[in-house]
Structure formats: C-alpha cells, structure tokens
C-alpha cells in the first residue's frame, strides 16, 4: 500500500503541472485581460494603464508568465484579484464556508437518500416500490437544477411564503434565531442539489447491488445461515459500492468549488458565483486559482477512491 501511494503521489506532480500549463495557456490566449476595462475609462491615463500592465507582467510572453505564476502558487501566493482588489486566497476563503455548508449538506443528503432507496429497489426488483423509486429517480436527474430551483422558488417562496429565495450573508439576528435563519435560507438550494445527486446515485446503487446479489458468494452466504440483513449489508452492499465510490469521488470536488447554476439561482455567495463573476470581469487570477484547485481535488479524490476500493473489496491488491 505504501509503495502504491508513493508511486501515485509522484505521478500526481507531472499530471498537475500539465493541467496547470493547459489551463494557464487557455486563459492567457483568451480574448480580454484583467485591465481591459481601464482602456475604456477616460479617467485613467494611458501611462497608468501601461504601468499596471508592466507591474503585473501582462505583456510578458505566456511562458514567462506561467513560470512566474506557478512559482508563486507553489509558495502559497495565489495572486491578486483585479476586480475585488484583494488577494485571491482571501477572496476564496471568504466564500468557501458557505459553499462547504450548502454543497456538503446537499452531497450528504444525496447519499442518505440514494443508499437505502437504491438498495431496497435492488432487493425487490420490479416491485411497486422499485417502479415508484425508479420513476422518481428518472424524473430527478432528468430535470436540470435551474428548473427545479425555479419550481421550488415559485412553490415555497412565492405561493406558500415559507422560505426566502435569496441567500443573505448579512442576517440581523442573534442566538438561535441567527442559526435558524441560515437553515431556512439553505433548505431550498440544499434540497435542489441533494435530490438531483440522490436521484443519480440511486440508479447507480440499484444497478450495482442488483448485479452483486445474483453472484454465487451471496447464495453461499445465505446457505451458511447468515441472516438476510447481514448478507445484504456486509456482503452485497459493501462490494456494490465500488462504482458508487467512483461517482461520489468525482462529485466531492464540486463541494469545494461550488455549484455554479444553483448558486446563481438562489444568490448563494459561494465559490461558484465568484467564478461566474470573475469570468465576466476577466479576473484571470481568480479563474485560474479556482479551476486549478478543482483539478487538484479531482485528481486527489480519484486517488482516495482507489484506496477505498481495497477496503471495500479485499480481493483488490495494490501493485
């Protein structure tokens, strides 16, 4: 295991370097730059614009700019946001807690919905419960989140007036009222994302468990006198979770980088909405930092998923 982890970690270095090079080159060659808006501002003299471009090295060759950015990133300097006038790491850390709470809760909700429903559907295939669960799952992941988000706003905010549809960071309350208001405004975005992810995971769980419970070793466990609950939970579900772990591992990086569409609908001040704002403002340092961190998380959680395979199925060996 230790040799396998060391080898995979060493492989990550050139992979992440290649990803960063591709991302930086694409952003550098894209039209526009962070100080482009100054060119249309008559109050900014041309020499000031030229000094700013020289200060931040925007006129240097792409290779020089990439080496300078990568060296700074490795030292913990993520750059400076031209739009917000603050350091990029400070700007992201301001938005990260909200994104983690909302998307982390949504991911947890999706898993808690998918595991029991998918397992019960596989144990009782083509039953009434399975047909209802399958139909709802198909509806759940067929509808885009921007559509279900608008439906939730119309139902729970406009018609019933139960929940706020704008996520506010400045809540004027104290004590338990403060936490309750945060919970109320997070219910709809968490539900929209959680039910969408839960619907997708339910189909994966059902398919995986359905394949496993037909294998010979499950029948052998039953023949040895093990209870149905132990047979399903310990032997069937555990081995069926391998493809599910892969899917969850690919979804987890989104918890840290935000759900762009949902955050825009509910005005959640998270990393996803920051990314959209930065793209519209050509704020390259922020865009580069968010996309590169997302790439790192994808690669890292793929490694975590590979390690979990061995725990779920002891037959898997690491070489």
């Amino acid at each position: 295991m230790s040799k396998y982890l060391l080898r995979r970690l060493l492989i990550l270095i050139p992979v992440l370097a290649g990803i960063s090079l591709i991302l930086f080159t694409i952003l550098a060659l894209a039209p526009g730059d962070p100080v482009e808006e100054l060119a249309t501002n008559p109050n900014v003299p041309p020499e000031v614009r030229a000094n700013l471009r020289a200060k931040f090295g925007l006129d240097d060759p792409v290779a020089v700019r990439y080496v300078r950015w990568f060296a700074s990133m490795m030292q913990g300097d993520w750059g400076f946001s031209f739009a917000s006038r603050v350091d990029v790491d400070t700007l992201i850390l301001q938005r990260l807690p909200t994104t983690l709470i909302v998307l982390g809760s949504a991911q947890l909700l999706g898993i808690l919905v998918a595991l029991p429903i998918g397992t019960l559907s596989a144990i009782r295939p083509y039953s009434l419960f399975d047909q209802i669960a399958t139909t709802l799952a198909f509806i759940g992941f067929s509808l885009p989140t921007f559509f279900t988000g608008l439906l939730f706003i119309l139902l729970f905010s406009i018609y019933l007036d139960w929940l706020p549809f704008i996520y506010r960071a400045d809540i004027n309350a104290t004590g338990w009222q403060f936490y309750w208001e945060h919970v109320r405004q997070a219910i709809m975005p968490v539900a929209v994302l959680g039910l969408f992810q839960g619907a997708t995971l339910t189909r994966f769980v059902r398919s995986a468990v359905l394949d496993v419970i037909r294998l010979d070793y499950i029948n052998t466990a039953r023949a040895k006198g093990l209870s149905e609950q132990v047979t399903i939970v310990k032997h069937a579900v555990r081995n069926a979770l391998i493809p599910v772990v892969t899917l969850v591992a690919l979804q987890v990086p989104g918890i840290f980088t935000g759900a762009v569409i949902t955050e825009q609908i509910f005005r959640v001040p998270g990393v996803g909405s920051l990314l959209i704002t930065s793209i519209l403002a050509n704020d390259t340092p922020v865009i580069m930092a968010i996309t590169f961190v997302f790439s790192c998380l994808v690669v890292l959680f793929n490694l975590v998923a590979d390690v979990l395979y061995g725990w779920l199925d002891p037959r898997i060996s690491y070489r």
Side-chain angles (χ1 to χ4, degrees), residues 135-156:
T135 301
L136 293 178
F138 273 120
I139 294 174
F141 68 75
S142 298
L143 296 177
T145 54
F146 69 84
F147 181 76
T148 54
L150 293 177
L151 288 181
F152 272 52
I153 290 174
L154 287 174
L155 178 60
F156 296 108

Side-chain angles (χ1 to χ4, degrees), residues 167-294:
Y167 196 104
R168 295 174 51 203
D170 54 340
I171 294 179
N172 296 323
T174 58
W176 288 105
Q177 185 67 25
F178 175 82
Y179 296 104
W180 171 242
E181 290 298 326
H182 271 287
V183 170
R184 286 184 68 245
Q185 67 182 3
I187 288 177
M188 285 199 294
V190 168
V192 168
L193 288 170
L195 294 178
F196 177 80
Q197 294 174 351
T200 306
L201 287 173
T202 297
R203 297 298 301 162
F204 274 86
V205 173
R206 181 188 182 278
S207 177
V209 175
L210 198 59
D211 289 339
V212 170
I213 60 176
R214 297 171 178 173
L215 299 179
D216 293 337
Y217 74 90
I218 298 296
N219 296 327
T220 302
R222 290 181 176 134
K224 288 183 176 181
L226 293 179
S227 65
E228 187 68 13
Q229 181 178 0
V230 173
T231 302
I232 296 298
V233 174
K234 186 175 180 180
H235 296 282
V237 175
R238 179 173 176 176
N239 291 315
L241 286 180
I242 291 179
V244 179
V245 166
T246 304
L247 182 61
V248 173
L250 294 175
Q251 292 178 344
V252 168
I255 297 176
F256 296 87
T257 53
V260 175
I261 296 176
T262 306
E263 290 186 5
Q264 288 294 106
I265 293 174
F266 295 101
R267 297 296 185 267
V268 178
V271 180
S273 60
L274 174 63
L275 177 60
I276 292 296
T277 304
S278 301
I279 292 174
L280 296 176
N282 285 324
D283 200 353
T284 308
V286 179
I287 302 172
M288 188 64 202
I290 296 176
T291 52
F292 181 64
V293 168
F294 178 77

Side-chain angles (χ1 to χ4, degrees), residues 120-143:
L120 289 175
S121 296
I123 295 173
R124 304 170 184 173
Y126 311 111
S127 63
L128 179 61
F129 177 84
D130 181 37
Q131 293 177 9
I132 294 175
T134 301
T135 301
L136 293 178
F138 273 120
I139 294 174
F141 68 75
S142 298
L143 296 177

